[in-house]
Amino acid sequence: MVMVLMVHSSQLNKMITIGIIFVCTPTGKTYRFRISNVGLQNSLNFRIQGHKMKLVEVEGTHTVQTMYESLDVHVGQSYSVLVTMDQSAQDFYIVASTRFTDKILTTTATLHYSNSNKAVSGPIPGGPTDQINWSLNQARSIRTNLTASGPRPNPQGSYHYGLINITRTIKLVSSADQVKGKQRYAVNSVSFIPADTPLKLADYFKIGGVFRVGSISDKPTGQNMYLDTSVMGADFRAFVEIVFENHESIVQSWHIDGYAFWVVGMDGGLWTPDSRKEYNLRDAVSRSTTQVYPRSWTAIYMALDNVGMWNVRTEFWARQYLGQQFYLRVYSPVNSPRDEY
């Protein structure tokens, strides 16, 4: 049985919500919970009173099966955990609370044993609040299970991402500022504005004047923020390193459409080429959304095996709407539908 918890968090309406009650059969049965943070802005910590969670999957990747008492789930991320019903016959709190916020918002649901003779009671189990190192160390502990399932087909081979030569390094720095008196957000100084024609159609039908490849640099330029329909060009079957660098005091969350990528490293401070010495080049987890901690960096490896026009964006909806996104145009002159998933 799979229980899906869609956890919603919003700084806009000051609330978070999850389901109300989950009925489970006791006597040692194990249930799979799939937890997704579908919120607008806040990272969440998820926990179940009196129960440990065995992590088994992250966004399609089988993970090393590690036990956790609570899990940080950042905006746009999903986890699957196994929970064994091995406690006394009573009800237990299921808790989600915000992370890294001045005011901690908390909500609960109930895990109800079918033969329960005691309702939930006592204080709600507490979780971490603003401890960044705690969350960073947990994120580093999540690794791919190399003995589970079959190898993922890709042009470079299976699970050998650490042995592939990097063909390009892209460094993305987010920023907040005002343009013409209005609040905007940007990547590498460019705040995205949508075109009247969808970029995928403009690219496919070769409609001129809609966008310009190269309208965003693959390194921060230090320019003042400006508006543009930002598109970065990339070659089909390149193998790239992307570094997200966060100079702000908030946790950020980044998603890339059309791809999964290996999260090879993250740490505080500024990224330098020496940071590669810290990379996990053996069993880093493959996922589609990654967090970047305050005044920190996160590095990913990605095989550009999917031709097309793909959105790279913050998962914070207000920032995304106000420009913190761009498009990655992965190009092949062959123009075959076999190259695009």
Side-chain angles (χ1 to χ4, degrees):
M1 179 177 182
V2 180
M3 298 183 177
V4 181
L5 288 88
M6 305 299 284
V7 188
H8 167 257
S9 66
S10 173
Q11 192 67 17
L12 302 179
N13 57 19
K14 307 293 184 183
M15 65 177 291
I16 56 177
T17 56
I18 59 178
I20 303 302
I21 186 167
F22 297 89
V23 180
C24 298
T25 305
T27 66
K29 287 192 175 182
T30 298
Y31 292 79
R32 175 187 173 192
F33 288 77
R34 182 163 173 81
I35 308 153
S36 297
N37 183 344
V38 297
L40 304 178
Q41 180 168 322
N42 289 330
S43 298
L44 300 173
N45 181 266
F46 179 86
R47 52 204 181 271
I48 301 177
Q49 181 183 28
H51 295 74
K52 290 188 176 181
M53 300 177 289
K54 180 186 288 186
L55 183 66
V56 295
E57 178 260 346
V58 171
E59 293 160 34
T61 297
H62 292 280
T63 62
V64 173
Q65 297 187 6
T66 305
M67 302 296 290
Y68 297 97
E69 293 187 358
S70 70
L71 273 173
D72 277 357
V73 188
H74 303 279
V75 182
Q77 293 184 341
S78 296
Y79 292 87
S80 287
V81 298
L82 300 181
V83 181
T84 300
M85 305 301 139
D86 55 4
Q87 301 299 307
S88 57
Q90 64 178 75
D91 293 353
F92 298 89
Y93 284 114
I94 298 173
V95 187
S97 58
T98 57
R99 291 282 270 124
F100 320 114
T101 55
D102 293 333
K103 180 181 179 181
I104 304 302
L105 308 176
T106 301
T107 191
T108 63
T110 300
L111 180 69
H112 174 75
Y113 279 29
S114 59
N115 61 343
S116 171
N117 53 25
K118 182 181 178 182
V120 291
S121 62
I124 297 171
T129 54
D130 60 359
Q131 303 94 320
I132 292 172
N133 285 340
W134 186 96
S135 186
L136 177 63
N137 289 331
Q138 182 180 87
R140 288 170 170 165
S141 73
I142 299 172
R143 297 176 292 121
T144 297
N145 188 340
L146 300 181
T147 65
S149 189
R152 184 173 80 90
N154 62 63
Q156 291 79 22
S158 303
Y159 304 124
H160 296 157
Y161 68 92
L163 302 177
I164 305 167
N165 290 328
I166 297 297
T167 57
R168 180 180 176 187
T169 296
I170 299 170
K171 187 175 180 181
L172 304 175
V173 176
S174 58
S175 59
D177 206 345
Q178 288 198 350
V179 178
K180 299 179 181 178
K182 295 183 178 180
Q183 182 65 52
R184 299 291 300 187
Y185 299 93
V187 186
N188 290 359
S189 297
V190 189
S191 185
F192 181 84
I193 51 173
D196 292 335
T197 303
L199 300 190
K200 174 63 182 174
L201 294 180
D203 190 33
Y204 185 83
F205 291 107
K206 297 179 174 56
I207 303 171
V210 178
F211 68 89
R212 179 177 60 85
V213 176
S215 47
I216 179 173
S217 171
D218 59 4
K219 299 286 192 302
T221 63
Q223 292 178 258
N224 292 330
M225 186 182 295
Y226 62 95
L227 307 178
D228 204 345
T229 304
S230 39
V231 176
M232 182 182 296
D235 295 328
F236 182 45
R237 297 216 167 115
F239 192 78
V240 299
E241 172 188 50
I242 300 178
V243 178
F244 297 96
E245 201 168 81
N246 178 9
H247 297 175
E248 299 182 71
S249 59
I250 62 170
V251 176
Q252 300 197 4
S253 188
W254 286 91
H255 175 82
I256 302 178
D257 278 347
Y259 284 94
F261 45 74
W262 290 277
V263 184
V264 294
M266 55 178 65
D267 205 352
L270 301 178
W271 181 90
T272 70
D274 282 344
S275 301
R276 296 186 178 114
K277 297 175 182 176
E278 304 175 23
Y279 285 4
N280 177 356
L281 298 181
R282 182 176 181 272
D283 59 358
V285 71
S286 175
R287 64 190 317 164
S288 59
T289 305
T290 187
Q291 70 274 31
V292 191
Y293 291 100
R295 299 180 178 88
S296 301
W297 57 267
T298 294
I300 67 172
Y301 280 0
M302 189 165 73
L304 299 184
D305 53 6
N306 195 6
V307 166
M309 185 76 75
W310 303 109
N311 191 233
V312 181
R313 64 178 178 271
T314 176
E315 288 290 77
F316 291 9
W317 281 24
R319 286 177 169 245
Q320 180 190 140
Y321 177 74
L322 295 176
Q324 204 159 80
Q325 59 174 303
F326 68 94
Y327 279 80
L328 184 69
R329 179 184 184 251
V330 180
Y331 177 74
S332 169
V334 176
N335 199 26
S336 169
R338 294 178 300 176
D339 297 331
E340 182 174 346
Y341 302 144

